[in-house]
Amino acid sequence: MNYEKLATRIIEENYLLSDAEALAILETPQQDLLKLLQASYQIRYHYYGNKVKLNMIINTKSGLCPENCGYCSQSIISKAPIEKYAMMKQEEIVEGARRASVVQAGTYCIVASGRGPANRELDIVVDAVKEIKAENPNMTVCACLGILKPEQAERLKEAGVDRYNHNLNTSENHHEHITTSHTYEDRVGTVEKVKNAGISPCSGVIIGMKESKEDVVQMAKSLRILDADSIPVNFLNAVDGTPLEGTKEVTPIYALRVLALFRMINPTKEIRVSGGREINLRSLQPFSLYAANSIFIGDYLTTSGQEESSDLQMLEDLGFEVDLEPLSKEPITTSCS
């Protein structure tokens, strides 16, 4: 495979990889890995230069979730010893946004466990977002509150929410092996609701949940069809006490191949190397940013992240620049059909 020519076709023609080409990328020989990363970087640089978006997450409600997602330490079937608490107060959420601003995180992600938000919980988020936007109009606010009703999406939009995250997590074919308390269509439907409300859609995946390479290809292509603006690529951190406890399928090199694939299939989109990057990519973390242009900084929902100073040092060492431009200044993307 001529990776450089493939990257040029993707940039110039918006070329969509065939399934065979996509699988070949996931099976790239080690001796060709740097060629693959260079091709990914060629695409990434074309749309985003050397800028990296920083995202910070706040877990505003922990545990207490009625869903049975096999990867999640907060689900009803999890036995993981995590902290559990009801919805935070408005002032705590606002203070989290201030902390995010201090570490140059341009996107602040407000996350709550559960199938979907109760009215009281939504009221707290709406009021918090209004206050955050009043203090820092340029901060991108992302909400992740589960399955939404159309009127809830409208309320979030009116409050100033810029982006809404609802991950597909896995392929349609593999979905029932991960959860049965909601459907794949439920997840797609929520993303469509936020798009209809005028909110930028964020949707991604978790790699390493015993899916096949064919499943990974379909995940990347499904997100292209869904037209998600931001695509977090998580790598399973198999928490003890969850059904996927002990699962270790992802090597650092395979993680890099996956990120390259997602960049090539979704060339104009924000590709974010997300949860589990520290334990799955390990010493190869810097290489991930030749395909991805976004990372989480700080801790995740129930697991610890890398020290913020280490991430900022990594970016400096790579010669990359923190992207503080507001959401409206992202590249204009072409239609992906």
Side-chain angles (χ1 to χ4, degrees), residues 265-329:
I265 289 182
N266 298 278
T268 65
K269 304 301 186 177
E270 176 186 331
I271 304 295
R272 186 186 320 146
V273 55
S274 299
R277 67 177 165 95
E278 296 87 351
I279 66 168
N280 285 280
L281 281 156
R282 299 193 287 279
S283 61
L284 298 192
Q285 283 187 73
F287 287 97
S288 68
L289 290 171
Y290 286 96
N293 67 299
S294 179
I295 60 171
F296 274 117
I297 191 167
D299 293 335
Y300 301 100
L301 295 176
T302 63
T303 58
S304 298
Q306 191 162 277
E307 285 290 332
E308 295 154 8
S309 58
S310 297
D311 282 328
L312 293 172
Q313 186 65 59
M314 178 174 67
L315 299 187
E316 182 180 338
D317 292 347
L318 286 165
F320 287 174
E321 176 187 352
V322 175
D323 186 354
L324 291 173
E325 292 182 350
L327 186 63
S328 60
K329 294 185 180 180

Side-chain angles (χ1 to χ4, degrees), residues 97-266:
R98 295 181 184 127
R99 291 196 302 273
S101 184
V102 168
V103 295
Q104 303 181 69
T107 300
Y108 180 56
C109 307
I110 301 171
V111 184
S113 66
R115 181 176 176 84
N119 289 334
R120 184 190 68 84
E121 295 168 342
L122 194 68
D123 289 343
I124 293 172
V125 172
V126 163
D127 290 341
V129 172
K130 289 178 180 178
E131 187 173 347
I132 292 166
K133 282 294 191 175
E135 287 188 11
N136 189 350
N138 286 332
M139 174 168 277
T140 296
V141 177
C142 178
C144 179
L145 311 174
I147 296 171
L148 288 183
K149 300 172 184 175
E151 59 271 21
Q152 292 177 320
E154 293 288 349
R155 285 196 66 197
L156 292 172
K157 172 64 177 178
E158 291 170 6
V161 170
D162 303 286
R163 178 164 278 169
Y164 194 88
N165 168 260
H166 199 61
N167 291 333
L168 296 184
N169 285 328
T170 192
S171 70
E172 184 174 9
N173 179 63
H174 194 59
H175 185 269
E176 65 179 12
H177 298 287
I178 302 304
T179 181
T180 57
S181 55
H182 61 267
T183 66
Y184 182 85
E185 289 73 22
D186 288 332
R187 290 193 166 269
V188 172
T190 291
V191 177
E192 294 294 350
K193 287 185 184 78
V194 300
K195 287 166 64 176
N196 291 338
I199 299 174
S200 171
C202 172
S203 188
V205 300
I206 304 172
I207 302 296
M209 299 195 294
K210 302 182 180 180
E211 72 280 346
S212 67
K213 289 185 176 72
E214 287 80 5
D215 287 320
V216 175
V217 171
Q218 290 312 306
M219 291 180 218
K221 290 195 171 186
S222 294
L223 288 165
R224 180 179 172 116
I225 294 169
L226 196 59
D227 202 22
D229 293 331
S230 178
I231 301 175
V233 180
N234 300 276
F235 299 98
L236 181 67
N237 183 348
V239 176
D240 289 347
T242 63
L244 287 170
E245 173 184 344
T247 304
K248 294 181 180 179
E249 294 194 334
V250 179
T251 66
I253 288 177
Y254 182 66
L256 292 176
R257 292 174 185 146
V258 168
L259 289 167
L261 177 70
F262 273 75
R263 170 56 67 202
M264 288 181 160
I265 289 182
N266 298 278

Side-chain angles (χ1 to χ4, degrees), residues 3 5 8 15 29 48 51 69 73 88 90 107 126 137 186 193-194 220 228 236 251 269 272 319 330:
Y3 299 103
K5 286 185 177 179
T8 300
Y15 175 70
Y48 293 99
K51 292 187 175 182
C69 304
S73 60
M88 285 181 174
Q90 175 183 335
T107 300
V126 163
D186 288 332
K193 287 185 184 78
V194 300
L236 181 67
T251 66
K269 304 301 186 177
R272 186 186 320 146
E330 287 186 346

